[in-house]
Coordinates of all heavy atoms in Angstrom, one line a residue:
M1 N 55.6 62.0 174.7 CA 54.2 62.2 175.1 C 53.2 62.1 173.9 O 53.4 62.8 172.9 CB 54.0 63.5 175.8 CG 54.3 63.4 177.3 SD 53.2 62.3 178.1 CE 53.9 62.3 179.8
K2 N 52.2 61.3 174.0 CA 51.2 61.3 172.9 C 50.2 62.4 173.2 O 49.7 62.5 174.3 CB 50.5 59.9 172.9 CG 51.5 58.9 172.3 CD 50.7 57.5 172.4 CE 51.7 56.4 171.9 NZ 51.1 55.1 172.2
R3 N 49.8 63.1 172.2 CA 48.8 64.1 172.3 C 47.6 63.8 171.5 O 47.7 63.2 170.5 CB 49.4 65.5 172.0 CG 50.6 65.9 172.8 CD 50.9 67.3 172.8 NE 51.8 67.7 173.9 CZ 51.3 68.0 175.1 NH1 50.1 68.2 175.4 NH2 52.2 68.3 176.1
C4 N 46.5 64.4 172.0 CA 45.3 64.2 171.3 C 45.4 64.8 169.9 O 45.9 66.0 169.7 CB 44.2 64.9 172.0 SG 42.6 65.0 171.1
D5 N 45.0 64.1 168.8 CA 45.1 64.6 167.5 C 44.2 65.8 167.2 O 44.5 66.5 166.2 CB 44.8 63.5 166.5 CG 45.9 62.4 166.4 OD1 46.9 62.6 167.1 OD2 45.8 61.4 165.8
L6 N 43.2 66.0 168.0 CA 42.3 67.0 167.7 C 42.5 68.3 168.5 O 42.5 69.4 168.0 CB 40.8 66.6 168.0 CG 40.4 65.4 167.1 CD1 38.9 65.2 167.3 CD2 40.6 65.8 165.6
C7 N 42.8 68.2 169.8 CA 42.9 69.4 170.6 C 44.3 69.5 171.3 O 44.5 70.5 172.0 CB 41.8 69.4 171.7 SG 42.1 68.2 173.0
D8 N 45.2 68.6 171.0 CA 46.5 68.8 171.5 C 46.7 68.6 173.0 O 47.8 68.9 173.5 CB 47.1 70.1 171.1 CG 48.5 70.0 170.5 OD1 48.7 69.0 169.8 OD2 49.3 70.9 170.7
C9 N 45.7 68.2 173.7 CA 46.0 67.9 175.1 C 46.4 66.4 175.2 O 46.5 65.7 174.2 CB 44.8 68.2 176.0 SG 43.3 67.3 175.7
L10 N 46.6 66.0 176.4 CA 47.2 64.6 176.6 C 46.2 63.5 176.1 O 45.1 63.5 176.5 CB 47.4 64.4 178.1 CG 48.5 63.4 178.5 CD1 49.8 63.9 178.0 CD2 48.5 63.3 180.1
A11 N 46.8 62.6 175.3 CA 46.0 61.6 174.8 C 45.7 60.5 175.8 O 46.5 60.2 176.6 CB 46.7 60.9 173.6
K12 N 44.4 60.1 175.9 CA 44.0 59.1 176.9 C 43.7 57.8 176.2 O 43.6 56.7 176.9 CB 42.8 59.6 177.6 CG 43.0 60.9 178.4 CD 43.9 60.7 179.5 CE 44.0 62.0 180.4 NZ 44.9 61.8 181.5
L13 N 43.4 57.8 175.0 CA 43.1 56.5 174.3 C 43.4 56.6 172.8 O 43.7 57.6 172.3 CB 41.6 56.2 174.5 CG 40.6 57.3 174.1 CD1 40.2 57.3 172.7 CD2 39.4 57.3 175.0
Y14 N 43.4 55.4 172.2 CA 43.7 55.3 170.8 C 42.6 54.6 170.0 O 42.1 53.5 170.5 CB 45.0 54.5 170.6 CG 45.4 54.3 169.2 CD1 45.9 55.3 168.4 CD2 45.3 53.0 168.6 CE1 46.3 55.1 167.1 CE2 45.6 52.8 167.3 CZ 46.1 53.8 166.5 OH 46.5 53.6 165.2
C15 N 42.1 55.2 169.0 CA 41.1 54.6 168.2 C 41.7 54.0 166.9 O 42.3 54.7 166.1 CB 40.1 55.7 167.7 SG 38.8 55.0 166.6
E16 N 41.6 52.7 166.8 CA 42.3 52.0 165.7 C 41.6 52.4 164.4 O 42.2 52.6 163.4 CB 42.1 50.5 165.9 CG 43.4 49.9 166.5 CD 43.2 48.4 166.6 OE1 42.6 47.8 165.7 OE2 43.7 47.8 167.6
S17 N 40.3 52.5 164.4 CA 39.5 52.8 163.2 C 39.9 54.2 162.6 O 40.0 54.3 161.4 CB 38.0 52.7 163.4 OG 37.7 51.5 164.0
N18 N 40.1 55.1 163.5 CA 40.5 56.4 163.1 C 42.0 56.6 163.0 O 42.5 57.6 162.5 CB 40.0 57.5 164.0 CG 38.5 57.6 164.0 OD1 37.8 57.1 164.8 ND2 38.0 58.3 162.9
E19 N 42.7 55.6 163.5 CA 44.2 55.8 163.7 C 44.5 57.1 164.4 O 45.3 57.9 163.9 CB 44.9 55.6 162.3 CG 44.7 54.3 161.7 CD 45.5 54.1 160.5 OE1 46.0 55.1 159.9 OE2 45.7 52.9 160.1
A20 N 43.8 57.4 165.5 CA 44.0 58.7 166.1 C 44.1 58.5 167.6 O 43.5 57.7 168.2 CB 42.8 59.5 165.8
N21 N 45.0 59.3 168.2 CA 45.1 59.4 169.6 C 44.1 60.5 170.1 O 44.0 61.5 169.5 CB 46.5 59.8 170.1 CG 47.5 58.8 169.7 OD1 47.4 57.6 170.1 ND2 48.5 59.2 169.0
L22 N 43.3 60.2 171.1 CA 42.3 61.1 171.5 C 42.3 61.3 173.0 O 42.7 60.4 173.8 CB 40.9 60.6 171.1 CG 40.7 60.5 169.6 CD1 39.4 59.7 169.3 CD2 40.6 61.8 168.9
C23 N 41.8 62.5 173.5 CA 41.5 62.7 174.9 C 40.0 62.3 175.1 O 39.3 62.0 174.2 CB 41.8 64.1 175.3 SG 40.6 65.3 174.6
W24 N 39.6 62.3 176.4 CA 38.2 61.9 176.7 C 37.2 62.7 176.0 O 36.2 62.3 175.4 CB 38.0 61.9 178.2 CG 38.8 61.0 179.0 CD1 39.7 61.3 180.0 CD2 38.9 59.6 178.9 NE1 40.3 60.2 180.5 CE2 39.8 59.1 179.9 CE3 38.2 58.6 178.1 CZ2 40.1 57.8 180.0 CZ3 38.5 57.3 178.3 CH2 39.5 56.9 179.2
Q25 N 37.4 64.0 176.0 CA 36.5 65.0 175.4 C 36.3 64.7 173.9 O 35.2 64.6 173.4 CB 37.0 66.4 175.6 CG 36.5 67.0 176.9 CD 36.8 68.5 177.0 OE1 37.9 68.9 176.6 NE2 35.9 69.2 177.6
C26 N 37.5 64.6 173.2 CA 37.4 64.5 171.8 C 36.9 63.1 171.4 O 36.3 62.9 170.4 CB 38.8 64.7 171.2 SG 39.3 66.5 171.4
D27 N 37.2 62.1 172.3 CA 36.7 60.8 172.0 C 35.1 60.8 172.0 O 34.5 60.3 171.1 CB 37.1 59.8 173.1 CG 36.4 58.5 173.0 OD1 36.6 57.8 172.0 OD2 35.7 58.1 173.9
T28 N 34.6 61.5 173.0 CA 33.1 61.6 173.1 C 32.6 62.4 171.8 O 31.6 62.0 171.2 CB 32.7 62.3 174.3 OG1 33.2 61.6 175.5 CG2 31.2 62.4 174.5
Y29 N 33.3 63.4 171.5 CA 32.9 64.3 170.4 C 32.9 63.4 169.1 O 31.9 63.4 168.3 CB 33.8 65.4 170.3 CG 33.6 66.3 169.1 CD1 32.5 67.2 169.0 CD2 34.5 66.2 168.0 CE1 32.3 68.0 167.9 CE2 34.3 67.0 166.9 CZ 33.2 67.9 166.8 OH 33.0 68.6 165.7
V30 N 34.0 62.7 168.9 CA 34.1 62.0 167.6 C 33.1 60.8 167.6 O 32.5 60.5 166.5 CB 35.6 61.5 167.5 CG1 35.7 60.4 166.3 CG2 36.5 62.6 167.2
H31 N 33.0 60.1 168.7 CA 32.3 58.8 168.6 C 30.8 58.9 169.0 O 30.1 57.9 168.9 CB 33.0 57.8 169.5 CG 34.4 57.5 169.0 ND1 35.6 57.9 169.6 CD2 34.8 56.8 167.9 CE1 36.6 57.5 168.9 NE2 36.2 56.8 167.8
S32 N 30.4 60.1 169.4 CA 29.0 60.2 169.5 C 28.3 60.9 168.3 O 27.2 61.1 168.2 CB 28.6 61.1 170.8 OG 29.2 62.4 170.6
A33 N 29.2 61.1 167.3 CA 28.7 61.7 166.1 C 27.7 60.8 165.3 O 26.7 61.3 164.8 CB 29.9 62.1 165.2
N34 N 27.9 59.6 165.3 CA 27.0 58.6 164.6 C 27.2 57.2 165.1 O 28.1 56.9 165.8 CB 27.2 58.7 163.0 CG 28.6 58.4 162.6 OD1 29.1 57.3 162.9 ND2 29.3 59.3 162.0
L35 N 26.3 56.3 164.7 CA 26.3 55.0 165.2 C 27.5 54.2 164.8 O 28.0 53.4 165.5 CB 25.0 54.3 164.7 CG 23.7 54.7 165.5 CD1 22.5 54.0 164.9 CD2 23.8 54.3 166.9
L36 N 27.9 54.4 163.6 CA 29.1 53.7 163.1 C 30.3 54.1 163.9 O 31.1 53.2 164.3 CB 29.4 54.0 161.6 CG 28.7 53.1 160.6 CD1 29.1 53.6 159.2 CD2 29.1 51.7 160.8
A37 N 30.5 55.3 164.2 CA 31.6 55.8 165.0 C 31.6 55.2 166.4 O 32.6 54.8 167.0 CB 31.7 57.3 165.0
A38 N 30.4 55.1 166.9 CA 30.2 54.6 168.3 C 30.7 53.1 168.4 O 31.0 52.6 169.5 CB 28.8 54.7 168.7
K39 N 30.8 52.4 167.3 CA 31.2 51.0 167.3 C 32.7 50.9 167.3 O 33.2 49.8 167.4 CB 30.6 50.3 166.1 CG 29.1 50.1 166.2 CD 28.6 49.2 165.0 CE 27.2 49.0 165.1 NZ 26.6 48.3 163.9
H40 N 33.4 52.0 167.1 CA 34.9 51.9 167.1 C 35.4 51.3 168.4 O 34.9 51.8 169.5 CB 35.5 53.3 166.8 CG 35.3 53.8 165.5 ND1 35.7 55.1 165.1 CD2 34.8 53.2 164.4 CE1 35.4 55.3 163.8 NE2 34.8 54.2 163.4
S41 N 36.3 50.4 168.3 CA 36.9 49.9 169.5 C 38.1 50.8 169.9 O 39.0 50.9 169.0 CB 37.4 48.4 169.3 OG 38.1 48.0 170.4
R42 N 38.1 51.3 171.1 CA 39.2 52.2 171.5 C 40.0 51.5 172.6 O 39.5 50.9 173.5 CB 38.7 53.5 172.0 CG 38.3 54.5 170.9 CD 36.8 54.4 170.5 NE 36.0 55.2 171.4 CZ 34.7 55.0 171.6 NH1 34.0 54.1 170.9 NH2 34.0 55.8 172.4
T43 N 41.3 51.7 172.4 CA 42.2 51.1 173.4 C 42.7 52.2 174.3 O 43.2 53.3 173.9 CB 43.4 50.5 172.7 OG1 43.0 49.6 171.7 CG2 44.4 49.8 173.6
L44 N 42.6 52.0 175.6 CA 43.0 53.0 176.6 C 44.5 53.0 176.6 O 45.2 52.0 176.5 CB 42.5 52.7 178.0 CG 41.0 52.5 178.1 CD1 40.5 52.5 179.5 CD2 40.2 53.7 177.4
L45 N 45.1 54.2 176.8 CA 46.5 54.4 177.0 C 46.9 54.3 178.4 O 46.2 54.9 179.3 CB 47.0 55.7 176.3 CG 46.7 55.9 174.9 CD1 47.2 57.2 174.4 CD2 47.3 54.7 174.0
C46 N 48.0 53.8 178.7 CA 48.5 53.7 180.1 C 48.7 55.2 180.6 O 49.2 56.0 179.9 CB 49.9 53.0 180.1 SG 50.7 53.1 181.7
H47 N 48.2 55.4 181.8 CA 48.3 56.8 182.4 C 49.7 57.1 182.8 O 50.0 58.3 183.1 CB 47.3 57.0 183.5 CG 47.7 56.2 184.8 ND1 47.7 54.9 184.9 CD2 48.2 56.7 186.0 CE1 48.1 54.5 186.1 NE2 48.4 55.6 186.8
V48 N 50.6 56.1 182.8 CA 52.0 56.4 183.2 C 52.9 56.6 181.9 O 53.5 57.6 181.8 CB 52.6 55.3 184.0 CG1 54.0 55.5 184.4 CG2 51.7 55.1 185.3
C49 N 52.9 55.6 181.1 CA 53.8 55.6 179.9 C 53.1 55.8 178.6 O 53.8 55.9 177.6 CB 54.7 54.4 179.9 SG 53.8 52.9 179.5
Q50 N 51.8 55.8 178.6 CA 51.0 56.0 177.4 C 51.2 54.9 176.3 O 50.9 55.2 175.2 CB 51.3 57.4 176.8 CG 50.7 58.5 177.6 CD 50.7 59.8 176.8 OE1 51.7 60.3 176.4 NE2 49.5 60.4 176.7
S51 N 51.6 53.8 176.7 CA 51.5 52.7 175.8 C 50.2 52.1 175.8 O 49.4 52.3 176.7 CB 52.6 51.7 176.1 OG 52.4 51.1 177.4
L52 N 49.8 51.2 174.9 CA 48.5 50.7 174.8 C 48.3 49.6 175.9 O 49.2 48.9 176.2 CB 48.3 50.0 173.4 CG 48.4 50.9 172.2 CD1 48.2 50.1 171.0 CD2 47.4 52.0 172.3
T53 N 47.1 49.7 176.5 CA 46.8 48.7 177.6 C 45.9 47.7 177.1 O 45.4 47.8 175.9 CB 46.1 49.5 178.8 OG1 44.8 49.8 178.3 CG2 46.9 50.7 179.2
P54 N 45.6 46.6 177.8 CA 44.6 45.6 177.4 C 43.2 46.1 177.5 O 42.3 45.4 177.0 CB 44.8 44.5 178.4 CG 46.1 44.8 179.2 CD 46.3 46.3 179.1
W55 N 43.0 47.3 178.0 CA 41.6 47.8 178.2 C 41.1 48.4 176.9 O 41.7 49.3 176.3 CB 41.5 48.8 179.3 CG 42.3 48.4 180.5 CD1 43.4 49.0 181.0 CD2 42.0 47.3 181.4 NE1 43.8 48.3 182.2 CE2 42.9 47.3 182.4 CE3 41.0 46.3 181.4 CZ2 42.9 46.4 183.4 CZ3 41.0 45.4 182.4 CH2 42.0 45.4 183.4
T56 N 39.9 48.0 176.5 CA 39.3 48.6 175.3 C 37.9 48.9 175.6 O 37.3 48.4 176.6 CB 39.3 47.6 174.1 OG1 38.6 46.4 174.4 CG2 40.7 47.3 173.7
G57 N 37.3 49.7 174.8 CA 35.9 50.1 175.0 C 35.2 50.5 173.7 O 35.9 51.0 172.8
T58 N 33.9 50.4 173.7 CA 33.2 50.8 172.6 C 32.0 51.6 173.1 O 31.7 51.7 174.3 CB 32.6 49.7 171.7 OG1 31.8 48.9 172.5 CG2 33.7 48.9 171.1
G59 N 31.3 52.3 172.2 CA 30.1 53.1 172.6 C 30.3 54.5 172.3 O 31.5 54.9 172.0
P60 N 29.3 55.3 172.4 CA 29.4 56.7 172.0 C 30.3 57.5 173.0 O 30.9 58.5 172.7 CB 28.0 57.3 172.1 CG 27.2 56.3 172.9 CD 27.9 55.0 172.7
Q61 N 30.4 57.0 174.2 CA 31.2 57.7 175.2 C 31.8 56.7 176.2 O 31.2 55.8 176.7 CB 30.3 58.6 176.0 CG 31.0 59.4 177.1 CD 30.0 60.4 177.7 OE1 28.8 60.3 177.6 NE2 30.6 61.3 178.4
L62 N 33.1 56.8 176.4 CA 33.8 56.0 177.3 C 33.9 56.7 178.7 O 34.1 57.9 178.7 CB 35.2 55.6 176.9 CG 35.4 54.8 175.6 CD1 36.8 54.4 175.4 CD2 34.5 53.6 175.6
V63 N 33.7 55.9 179.7 CA 33.8 56.5 181.1 C 35.3 56.7 181.4 O 36.1 55.8 181.2 CB 33.2 55.6 182.1 CG1 33.4 56.2 183.5 CG2 31.7 55.4 181.8
P64 N 35.7 57.9 181.7 CA 37.1 58.2 182.0 C 37.6 57.3 183.1 O 37.1 57.3 184.2 CB 37.1 59.6 182.4 CG 36.0 60.2 181.7 CD 34.9 59.2 181.7
T65 N 38.6 56.5 182.8 CA 39.2 55.6 183.8 C 40.7 55.8 183.8 O 41.3 56.3 182.8 CB 38.9 54.2 183.5 OG1 39.3 53.9 182.2 CG2 37.5 53.8 183.7
V66 N 41.3 55.5 184.9 CA 42.8 55.4 184.9 C 43.2 54.0 184.7 O 42.8 53.1 185.4 CB 43.3 55.9 186.3 CG1 44.8 55.8 186.4 CG2 42.9 57.3 186.6
S67 N 44.0 53.8 183.6 CA 44.4 52.5 183.3 C 45.9 52.4 183.1 O 46.5 53.4 182.8 CB 43.7 52.1 182.0 OG 44.0 53.1 181.0
G68 N 46.4 51.3 183.4 CA 47.9 51.1 183.3 C 48.2 49.9 182.4 O 47.4 49.0 182.3
C69 N 49.3 50.0 181.7 CA 49.8 48.8 180.9 C 50.3 47.8 181.9 O 50.5 48.0 183.0 CB 50.8 49.2 179.9 SG 52.4 49.7 180.7
N70 N 50.5 46.6 181.3 CA 50.9 45.5 182.2 C 52.2 45.8 183.0 O 52.2 45.5 184.2 CB 51.2 44.2 181.4 CG 49.9 43.6 180.9 OD1 48.9 43.7 181.6 ND2 49.9 43.0 179.7
S71 N 53.2 46.4 182.4 CA 54.4 46.7 183.2 C 54.2 47.7 184.2 O 54.7 47.6 185.3 CB 55.6 47.0 182.2 OG 55.2 48.1 181.4
C72 N 53.5 48.8 183.9 CA 53.3 49.8 184.9 C 52.4 49.4 186.0 O 52.6 49.7 187.2 CB 52.7 51.1 184.3 SG 53.8 51.9 183.2
V73 N 51.4 48.6 185.7 CA 50.5 48.0 186.8 C 51.3 47.2 187.8 O 51.1 47.3 189.0 CB 49.3 47.2 186.2 CG1 48.7 46.4 187.2 CG2 48.3 48.2 185.5
S74 N 52.2 46.4 187.3 CA 52.9 45.5 188.2 C 53.9 46.4 188.9 O 54.2 46.1 190.1 CB 53.6 44.4 187.4 OG 54.3 44.9 186.3
N75 N 54.5 47.4 188.3 CA 55.3 48.3 189.1 C 54.6 49.0 190.2 O 55.0 49.1 191.3 CB 55.9 49.4 188.1 CG 57.1 49.0 187.3 OD1 57.6 47.9 187.6 ND2 57.4 49.7 186.3
L76 N 53.4 49.5 189.9 CA 52.6 50.3 190.8 C 52.2 49.4 192.0 O 52.1 49.9 193.1 CB 51.4 50.9 190.1 CG 51.7 52.2 189.3 CD1 50.4 52.6 188.6 CD2 52.3 53.3 190.1
S77 N 51.9 48.2 191.7 CA 51.3 47.4 192.8 C 52.4 47.1 193.9 O 52.1 46.8 195.0 CB 50.8 46.0 192.3 OG 51.8 45.4 191.5
C78 N 53.7 47.2 193.5 CA 54.8 47.1 194.5 C 54.9 48.4 195.2 O 55.0 48.4 196.4 CB 56.1 46.8 193.8 SG 56.0 45.3 192.7
K79 N 54.9 49.5 194.5 CA 55.3 50.8 195.2 C 54.1 51.4 195.9 O 54.3 52.1 196.9 CB 55.7 51.8 194.1 CG 57.1 51.4 193.5 CD 57.6 52.6 192.7 CE 58.4 52.2 191.5 NZ 58.4 53.2 190.4
E80 N 52.9 51.1 195.4 CA 51.7 51.8 196.0 C 51.8 53.3 196.0 O 51.4 53.9 197.0 CB 51.5 51.3 197.4 CG 51.1 49.8 197.5 CD 49.6 49.6 197.9 OE1 49.0 50.6 198.3 OE2 49.2 48.5 197.7
E81 N 52.3 53.8 194.9 CA 52.4 55.3 194.8 C 51.1 55.8 194.2 O 50.7 55.3 193.1 CB 53.6 55.7 193.9 CG 54.8 55.8 194.7 CD 56.0 56.3 193.9 OE1 55.7 56.6 192.7 OE2 57.1 56.2 194.3
R82 N 50.5 56.7 194.8 CA 49.3 57.3 194.3 C 49.5 58.8 193.9 O 49.5 59.6 194.8 CB 48.1 57.2 195.3 CG 48.0 55.8 195.7 CD 46.8 55.7 196.6 NE 45.5 55.5 195.8 CZ 44.3 55.9 196.2 NH1 44.2 56.6 197.4 NH2 43.3 55.7 195.5
S83 N 49.8 59.0 192.7 CA 50.0 60.4 192.3 C 48.7 60.9 191.7 O 48.1 60.4 190.8 CB 51.1 60.4 191.2 OG 50.7 59.6 190.1
S84 N 48.3 62.0 192.3 CA 47.0 62.6 191.9 C 47.3 63.5 190.7 O 48.2 64.4 190.9 CB 46.3 63.3 193.0 OG 47.2 64.2 193.6
E85 N 46.7 63.3 189.6 CA 47.0 64.1 188.5 C 46.2 65.5 188.6 O 45.0 65.5 188.7 CB 46.5 63.4 187.2 CG 47.3 62.2 186.8 CD 46.8 61.6 185.6 OE1 46.6 62.2 184.6 OE2 46.5 60.3 185.7
A86 N 47.0 66.5 188.6 CA 46.4 67.8 188.8 C 45.6 68.2 187.6 O 46.0 68.0 186.4 CB 47.5 68.9 189.0
G87 N 44.4 68.8 187.8 CA 43.6 69.3 186.7 C 42.9 68.2 185.9 O 42.3 68.4 184.9
D88 N 43.0 66.9 186.4 CA 42.4 65.8 185.6 C 41.2 65.3 186.5 O 41.4 64.5 187.4 CB 43.4 64.7 185.4 CG 43.0 63.8 184.3 OD1 41.9 64.0 183.8 OD2 43.7 62.9 183.9
H89 N 40.1 65.8 186.2 CA 38.9 65.5 187.0 C 38.3 64.2 186.5 O 37.5 64.2 185.6 CB 37.9 66.6 187.1 CG 38.5 67.9 187.7 ND1 38.7 68.0 189.0 CD2 38.9 69.0 187.1 CE1 39.2 69.2 189.3 NE2 39.3 69.8 188.1
V90 N 38.7 63.1 187.1 CA 38.1 61.8 186.7 C 36.7 61.6 187.3 O 35.9 60.9 186.7 CB 39.1 60.7 187.1 CG1 38.5 59.4 186.8 CG2 40.4 60.9 186.4
G91 N 36.5 62.2 188.5 CA 35.2 62.0 189.1 C 35.1 60.7 189.9 O 36.1 60.0 189.9
D92 N 34.0 60.4 190.4 CA 33.9 59.2 191.2 C 33.2 58.1 190.3 O 32.6 57.2 190.8 CB 33.1 59.4 192.5 CG 32.0 60.4 192.4 OD1 31.6 60.6 191.2 OD2 31.7 61.0 193.4
N93 N 33.3 58.3 189.0 CA 32.6 57.3 188.1 C 33.6 56.3 187.6 O 33.5 55.7 186.5 CB 32.0 58.0 186.9 CG 30.5 57.9 186.9 OD1 30.0 57.1 187.7 ND2 29.9 58.6 186.1
I94 N 34.6 56.0 188.4 CA 35.6 55.0 187.9 C 35.0 53.6 187.9 O 34.5 53.1 188.8 CB 36.9 55.1 188.9 CG1 37.5 56.4 188.8 CG2 37.9 54.0 188.5 CD1 38.6 56.6 189.8
D95 N 35.2 53.0 186.7 CA 34.5 51.8 186.4 C 35.3 50.9 185.6 O 35.2 50.8 184.4 CB 33.1 52.1 185.7 CG 32.3 50.9 185.5 OD1 32.5 49.9 186.3 OD2 31.5 50.8 184.6
V96 N 36.3 50.2 186.2 CA 37.2 49.4 185.5 C 36.8 47.9 185.7 O 36.7 47.5 186.8 CB 38.6 49.6 186.0 CG1 39.6 48.6 185.2 CG2 39.1 51.0 185.7
D97 N 36.5 47.3 184.6 CA 36.2 45.8 184.7 C 37.5 45.1 184.8 O 38.3 44.9 183.8 CB 35.5 45.4 183.5 CG 34.0 45.9 183.5 OD1 33.5 46.0 184.6 OD2 33.5 46.1 182.4
E98 N 37.8 44.6 186.0 CA 39.1 43.8 186.1 C 38.9 42.4 185.8 O 38.7 41.5 186.7 CB 39.6 44.0 187.5 CG 39.8 45.5 187.8 CD 41.1 45.7 188.7 OE1 41.5 44.7 189.3 OE2 41.6 46.8 188.6
E99 N 38.8 42.1 184.5 CA 38.7 40.7 184.1 C 40.1 40.1 183.8 O 40.9 40.8 183.2 CB 37.8 40.6 182.9 CG 36.4 40.9 183.2 CD 35.5 41.1 181.9 OE1 36.1 41.2 180.9 OE2 34.3 41.0 182.0
E100 N 40.2 38.9 184.1 CA 41.5 38.3 183.8 C 41.6 38.0 182.3 O 40.7 37.6 181.7 CB 41.6 36.9 184.5 CG 41.8 37.1 186.0 CD 43.2 37.7 186.3 OE1 44.2 37.0 186.3 OE2 43.3 38.9 186.6
Ligands
ZN1 ZN1 41.2 66.2 172.5
ZN2 ZN1 37.1 56.1 166.2
ZN3 ZN1 52.7 51.9 181.2

């Protein structure tokens, strides 16, 4: 399990510039600090296996999304299993750009 380098909870994304695994909260904290930090490109981690996904984002704050790596996404599309993560309030702001 990858953990957030700052607060030790589950890592949700990886910042290449910082070489750090971060959760949503710490991502916002770190990347809203200044304009340069907001330009960091962050790669979302798969919510199943925590490997890097094709999804990236920049800006002071990333909208929390559930993302999967290629292998997990293809697995899930067969099984249609929807596991609700306890204590993980994603909200109804899910905004994934599904670009090919
Ligand atoms: Zn954190
Ligand atoms: Zn960063
Ligand atoms: Zn995965």
Side-chain angles (χ1 to χ4, degrees):
M1 275 297 176
K2 290 177 184 170
R3 298 200 165 268
C4 172
D5 287 355
L6 295 186
C7 73
D8 226 36
C9 61
L10 204 63
K12 299 291 187 183
L13 52 88
Y14 175 74
C15 175
E16 264 183 37
S17 309
N18 290 103
E19 295 185 346
N21 297 304
L22 297 168
C23 68
W24 297 119
Q25 272 188 322
C26 295
D27 172 64
T28 304
Y29 174 76
V30 168
H31 294 108
S32 60
N34 59 61
L35 285 175
L36 270 180
K39 290 184 179 173
H40 290 175
S41 170
R42 281 95 83 197
T43 305
L44 305 190
L45 300 180
C46 174
H47 70 290
V48 179
C49 68
Q50 289 196 302
S51 61
L52 299 180
T53 70
W55 314 114
T56 59
T58 58
Q61 181 174 14
L62 297 188
V63 177
T65 53
V66 174
S67 52
C69 70
N70 286 330
S71 55
C72 291
V73 164
S74 47
N75 279 348
L76 283 177
S77 57
C78 307
K79 290 190 214 156
E80 294 251 347
E81 273 182 8
R82 308 184 82 210
S83 57
S84 52
E85 292 179 51
D88 200 355
H89 298 286
V90 175
D92 36 24
N93 244 350
I94 297 174
D95 184 24
V96 177
D97 288 328
E98 300 220 340
E99 289 169 346
E100 287 292 282

